[in-house]
Amino acid sequence: MSSSVGFRIKQYLKMFIQNVYLPHVYKKAVRHTDVDKNIIIFADMHSDEIPYSMRAMYERLKGEGKKVLVYCRNMDKMSHSETLKYMKSFMKDYAAAGYVYICSYFLPVSSCDKRKETKVIQLWHSGGLLKKMGKDTGDDIPKYYKGNVTKNYDLVTVSSQVCVPIWEKALGLPKGVTRATGLARTDIYFDDEWNREKRELFYQLYPNAKGKRVVLYAPSFTGNAADPECKGLAALRRVFNKREDNYFLIIRLHPNLKKKYPKYWNEKVEMLPTEALLPVTSILITDYSSVLFDYCMFRKPFILFCPDVDEYKKTRGFYADPKKFPAPFASDEKELETILTEKKYFDYSEQDYEEFYEKYMGACKGNSIDNILSVIS
């Protein structure tokens, strides 16, 4: 069975579960429960741990003594029976929860007409604006998919005001649901102690990096989640394999690429995920990943390496032109090598960089969690 056929079968299965099975479970649970504002759920179907985008909010609420339930599982590791059991259990608790936090598409939360007393908060996993998403592209929500994957959202948090109308259109959200509160996960970047700890841990794990310029390659992926690719990896490796200068390269690929490139995952990756590398990174190289928007909060240079930019523009498309960002743009191996050799990554004005930050991440000031809690209280 081809990956595309398998992907479509999964979508039809999701439609049946969303439109028939889960609403039945929820309605039955509602008859036997009342909403308890002290019950808070964190849910995700892509990880067995609480994703980074929700972790700071989880720690805040857990620290305040809230009753927190965690429904974070990687569906790829679950059998069909385990998945249904997981969803059924979630729906029962969903019927009684005061708040539900998610950070990506999460089918069960949108499968029914929820109680108005229950608030669903979408802590979306990316900031800024670059590649198209949702209804603006066929990769996220296929045209044949029947159902509303963003139904029931009470709040969608974004990183700046410029993102609001894009999110409303791409996710089909009513006016007022999307708010430029800032992203909860970014508050930690303003913590000097956290930044210091990550730098110290990095040099413990990578002592050979001392005295060198740390380069982090953190690309996104092309294609859909069923058949992802990293178009620039081989070329980037060739560029750095023949260099003998003062660069220390770290590669962190998108989680969807783990099966295809397993050698890039090890204990060090678990100890220092991508976000924990940003404090020590001197230069970021990426393509269409939103990590560049998190990284720009450190006001350090980045390079856009996009060998498939023309194809990507046609198949997925952009909200913003990456060639107009305050960073050098390389579309092939030779251009990337020239940028590194001539240190062109420093060729930007501080004013342009600051305007870029304010435009795309301006609501992230270190108090995003406070902003979010004040909106939903």
Side-chain angles (χ1 to χ4, degrees), residues 263-307:
K263 72 176 184 178
Y264 292 101
W265 271 264
N266 53 38
E267 291 182 1
K268 292 181 180 180
V269 176
E270 297 295 328
M271 296 176 69
L272 272 178
T274 302
E275 65 273 5
L277 291 170
L278 302 186
V280 75
T281 298
S282 301
I283 306 163
L284 171 71
I285 301 178
T286 187
D287 47 13
Y288 320 111
S289 172
S290 64
V291 69
L292 76 89
F293 295 105
D294 281 31
Y295 183 69
C296 79
M297 300 177 70
F298 291 87
R299 310 305 201 275
K300 292 188 288 188
F302 61 95
I303 299 169
L304 292 169
F305 179 44
C306 310

Side-chain angles (χ1 to χ4, degrees), residues 11 53 113 146 266 322 330 332 363 371:
Q11 296 305 312
S53 296
D113 293 323
K146 304 297 181 184
N266 53 38
D332 60 38
N371 293 341

Side-chain angles (χ1 to χ4, degrees), residues 341-354:
T341 301
E342 299 181 5
K343 297 182 173 56
K344 290 187 175 182
Y345 40 81
F346 287 124
D347 294 344
Y348 62 87
S349 79
E350 291 185 8
Q351 180 178 344
D352 287 346
Y353 201 119
E354 197 62 29

Side-chain angles (χ1 to χ4, degrees), residues 53-64:
S53 296
M54 297 197 293
R55 199 175 307 146
M57 182 65 78
Y58 167 82
E59 291 174 353
R60 169 72 170 267
L61 296 176
K62 190 73 173 178
E64 292 179 354

Side-chain angles (χ1 to χ4, degrees), residues 147-294:
N148 184 353
V149 297
T150 63
K151 180 180 178 180
N152 289 334
Y153 291 1
D154 293 285
L155 174 65
V156 177
T157 66
V158 293
S159 58
S160 71
Q161 191 61 38
V162 73
C163 301
V164 172
I166 301 297
W167 256 249
E168 289 175 345
K169 178 178 178 294
L171 299 184
L173 299 167
K175 296 286 185 182
V177 170
T178 308
R179 304 279 292 272
T181 58
L183 306 179
R185 71 163 187 271
T186 64
D187 285 0
I188 199 69
Y189 299 143
F190 294 84
D191 186 332
D192 292 338
E193 181 64 17
W194 181 85
N195 284 294
R196 183 188 63 77
E197 289 176 356
K198 299 310 174 188
R199 284 192 288 266
E200 289 182 354
L201 178 57
F202 176 83
Y203 287 112
Q204 289 175 14
L205 296 175
Y206 300 98
N208 292 339
K210 291 181 179 178
K212 296 184 178 181
R213 185 167 283 150
V214 177
V215 178
L216 170 62
Y217 179 53
S220 183
F221 66 93
T222 56
N224 59 49
D227 187 26
E229 285 188 84
C230 183
K231 292 292 184 67
L233 178 59
L236 179 127
R237 289 301 304 264
R238 287 193 296 270
V239 169
F240 278 91
N241 283 343
K242 59 187 177 183
R243 300 194 69 85
E244 297 180 356
D245 45 22
N246 205 34
Y247 293 114
F248 187 85
L249 177 66
I250 296 287
I251 295 175
R252 288 288 188 272
L253 302 184
H254 191 282
N256 284 352
L257 295 166
K258 187 173 184 178
K259 289 183 179 179
K260 194 157 192 173
Y261 306 97
K263 72 176 184 178
Y264 292 101
W265 271 264
N266 53 38
E267 291 182 1
K268 292 181 180 180
V269 176
E270 297 295 328
M271 296 176 69
L272 272 178
T274 302
E275 65 273 5
L277 291 170
L278 302 186
V280 75
T281 298
S282 301
I283 306 163
L284 171 71
I285 301 178
T286 187
D287 47 13
Y288 320 111
S289 172
S290 64
V291 69
L292 76 89
F293 295 105
D294 281 31

Side-chain angles (χ1 to χ4, degrees), residues 93-192:
D93 284 328
Y94 183 23
Y99 302 91
V100 179
Y101 288 89
I102 57 179
C103 64
S104 187
Y105 300 124
F106 186 77
L107 183 149
V109 86
S110 302
S111 65
C112 59
D113 293 323
K114 74 170 178 67
R115 287 170 153 172
K116 292 182 179 179
E117 303 97 312
T118 300
K119 303 297 182 185
V120 174
I121 302 95
Q122 171 63 269
L123 304 176
W124 193 254
H125 53 273
S126 63
L129 282 176
L130 184 50
K131 59 187 177 184
K132 290 186 176 181
M133 64 174 184
K135 296 180 179 181
D136 290 338
T137 176
D139 287 337
D140 278 10
I141 307 174
K143 292 182 179 180
Y144 56 81
Y145 185 83
K146 304 297 181 184
N148 184 353
V149 297
T150 63
K151 180 180 178 180
N152 289 334
Y153 291 1
D154 293 285
L155 174 65
V156 177
T157 66
V158 293
S159 58
S160 71
Q161 191 61 38
V162 73
C163 301
V164 172
I166 301 297
W167 256 249
E168 289 175 345
K169 178 178 178 294
L171 299 184
L173 299 167
K175 296 286 185 182
V177 170
T178 308
R179 304 279 292 272
T181 58
L183 306 179
R185 71 163 187 271
T186 64
D187 285 0
I188 199 69
Y189 299 143
F190 294 84
D191 186 332
D192 292 338

